[in-house]
Amino acid sequence: MAVKYELMVPNGKYLKDGETKTTWLRVGRVLAKKNGGFAMKMDCVPTAVLDKNGNQCPWDGWLQMFEPKPRQSNQQTSDTGDFDDGIPF
């Protein structure tokens, strides 16, 4: 199943270039099924979120849906292509 949307809740605030931005916590995903339908997978249920002023408050049940962003790999690859160099077994 392909991920169509990521389910997010606000998780904090930070400043970037003098502008206040929101950090988001992914709590689940919406997946497209082969039959044309959708399925929702919750990874966790938030108990508290931040309101518009940045204060912690009980979760009101609302989730935001964002299209998934491509993931960037943090792995570095070897230029030599020799993977067993230095491995004693």
Side-chain angles (χ1 to χ4, degrees):
M1 290 187 273
V3 176
K4 295 302 278 183
Y5 297 100
E6 293 182 341
L7 302 172
M8 313 284 270
V9 293
N11 190 38
K13 302 261 183 207
Y14 66 97
L15 282 175
K16 181 178 180 182
D17 300 327
E19 186 178 350
T20 301
K21 302 274 189 171
T22 302
T23 59
W24 296 91
L25 173 66
R26 187 182 82 185
V27 296
R29 298 174 301 269
V30 174
L31 307 164
K33 295 171 61 175
K34 290 181 181 179
N35 67 1
F38 294 95
M40 183 179 78
K41 168 69 168 96
M42 293 286 295
D43 297 322
C44 64
V45 177
T47 57
V49 294
L50 299 178
D51 65 13
K52 293 178 183 178
N53 299 319
N55 300 316
Q56 193 174 41
C57 62
W59 180 51
D60 59 6
W62 284 97
L63 298 171
Q64 302 293 316
M65 292 181 9
F66 295 98
E67 291 184 357
K69 294 180 181 176
R71 302 279 181 199
Q72 294 182 1
S73 174
N74 291 334
Q75 294 178 317
Q76 295 181 358
T77 57
S78 171
D79 290 5
T80 64
D82 188 8
F83 294 106
D84 60 356
D85 127 70
I87 299 175
F89 51 90

